[in-house]
Amino acid sequence: MSQPLATTPSLEAVTESIIFPPGDIYSDEPPLESDLHREQIDLLIRLIKWWWRDRQDFYATGNLTIYFSPNQKKSEEFRGPDFFVVLDTEKKDRKSWVVWQEDGKYPNVIIELLSNSTASVDKGLKKQIYQNTFRTPDYFWFDPNNLELQGFHILDGQYQELVPTESGWLWSQQLGLYLAVYLGKLRFFTPDGLLVMLPEEESNQQLEQTNQQLEQTNQQLEQTNQQLEQERQRAAILAERLRAAGIDPEQIF
């Protein structure tokens, strides 16, 4: 009697049965749309990391996959925001953000960069996921090409559109910073309205301030030298007049 043929499990079945060790799930994001998108993401990451350089309780990254399957499977339920920040977590490098390995935490802030191919999804499906599943308090989108900026904050379970200031700035409650367009880029501003700068920008500003101080010092020295020259000329004129009157100026003192 012939034996039944053994069935070979499919690659998908094998993959789904694998238990991935913590931290071994890699990000799976497609290439970025353009240099503008890549530069903007890098800028936001560098800015927030530098601004919070003394803090160890946050994670900020971009174009990285968030895995959030309730079945803890990497093949289902995942999204890759262009920029996101998670608060009250360990500051360390990661290959991806795996919700079930991060105490169930989702991003506190998400920023999506719009493009012709992603705008409808960012404004529709992703917005619904970030509202209903992630429960991300602050959600923004920004178009690097036409500089469109819009933001939302969750209130009673629903995203409410943020009202911009007179200058067009949007407040992020989670970051404690404003978001605004500055020189064609999305930037952060402090509650006092100061630009959050990169380290090289701070260095350049300090150098500029030092140069201005040196310039002021040089101007003051030049004014002092001019005053000394005027005094010297007055003394020379007085000495001549004394000599004309038969008085030796050297004998006065």
Side-chain angles (χ1 to χ4, degrees):
M1 183 175 179
S2 61
Q3 298 293 326
L5 295 175
T7 59
T8 302
S10 66
L11 178 60
E12 181 179 359
V14 172
T15 302
E16 294 300 332
S17 67
I18 295 175
I19 300 176
F20 290 87
D24 279 356
I25 303 180
Y26 284 86
S27 179
D28 186 26
E29 292 309 300
L32 296 172
E33 290 281 335
S34 68
D35 286 341
L36 280 177
H37 290 75
R38 174 179 52 79
E39 291 168 1
Q40 179 65 75
I41 292 173
D42 290 344
L43 176 61
L44 292 173
I45 295 171
R46 291 188 63 207
L47 284 170
I48 203 66
K49 284 186 174 181
W50 180 246
W51 179 246
W52 285 344
R53 56 191 177 276
D54 297 326
R55 292 179 54 169
Q56 301 298 322
D57 62 347
F58 75 97
Y59 178 64
T61 191
N63 198 41
L64 195 83
T65 302
I66 297 174
Y67 294 101
F68 58 100
S69 166
N71 300 315
Q72 298 189 6
K73 294 180 179 180
K74 77 165 191 175
S75 60
E76 58 184 37
E77 303 297 335
F78 56 89
R79 288 288 166 181
D82 291 322
F83 171 82
F84 66 89
V85 176
V86 184
L87 302 178
D88 300 318
T89 190
E90 184 179 359
K91 184 181 181 181
K92 66 177 183 180
D93 292 336
R94 292 168 170 86
K95 298 173 182 177
S96 61
W97 184 267
V98 185
V99 170
W100 60 87
Q101 294 174 0
E102 300 285 355
D103 298 324
K105 290 183 178 293
Y106 286 89
N108 294 74
V109 180
I110 290 178
I111 301 175
E112 292 286 6
L113 303 182
L114 304 182
S115 67
N116 291 336
S117 62
T118 66
S120 60
V121 175
D122 293 335
K123 294 180 178 182
L125 177 61
K126 281 189 175 182
K127 181 169 176 278
Q128 291 302 312
I129 291 175
Y130 299 157
Q131 172 187 274
N132 300 331
T133 303
F134 284 24
R135 312 295 295 162
T136 294
D138 290 348
Y139 174 49
F140 300 86
W141 64 60
F142 174 67
D143 191 322
N145 292 297
N146 63 22
L147 309 185
E148 175 188 348
L149 174 62
Q150 196 163 354
F152 305 86
H153 180 75
I154 280 187
L155 185 63
D156 296 330
Q158 300 292 318
Y159 273 140
Q160 304 296 320
E161 185 174 349
L162 294 172
V163 178
T165 66
E166 293 182 358
S167 301
W169 296 10
L170 298 178
W171 176 250
S172 171
Q173 184 185 82
Q174 298 293 298
L175 298 179
L177 296 169
Y178 285 105
L179 278 73
V181 180
Y182 176 77
L183 299 180
K185 298 290 186 182
L186 184 61
R187 299 290 298 257
F188 299 119
F189 289 81
T190 70
D192 297 328
L194 299 177
L195 177 70
V196 174
M197 292 186 288
L198 297 170
E200 60 267 28
E201 291 176 327
E202 290 184 2
S203 298
N204 290 337
Q205 185 185 63
Q206 292 172 356
L207 180 60
E208 184 177 347
Q209 290 174 347
T210 300
N211 289 336
Q212 290 176 350
Q213 292 173 352
L214 288 173
E215 181 64 24
Q216 291 175 354
T217 300
N218 289 334
Q219 291 176 355
Q220 292 172 353
L221 286 173
E222 185 176 350
Q223 291 175 354
T224 300
N225 288 334
Q226 289 175 352
Q227 291 173 354
L228 289 173
E229 178 62 21
Q230 290 173 356
E231 293 298 326
R232 188 193 67 78
Q233 292 176 358
R234 291 193 189 97
I237 292 172
L238 178 58
E240 286 298 322
R241 289 178 178 175
L242 289 173
R243 290 189 185 95
I247 302 173
D248 185 358
E250 300 295 334
Q251 301 299 320
I252 295 179
F253 303 101

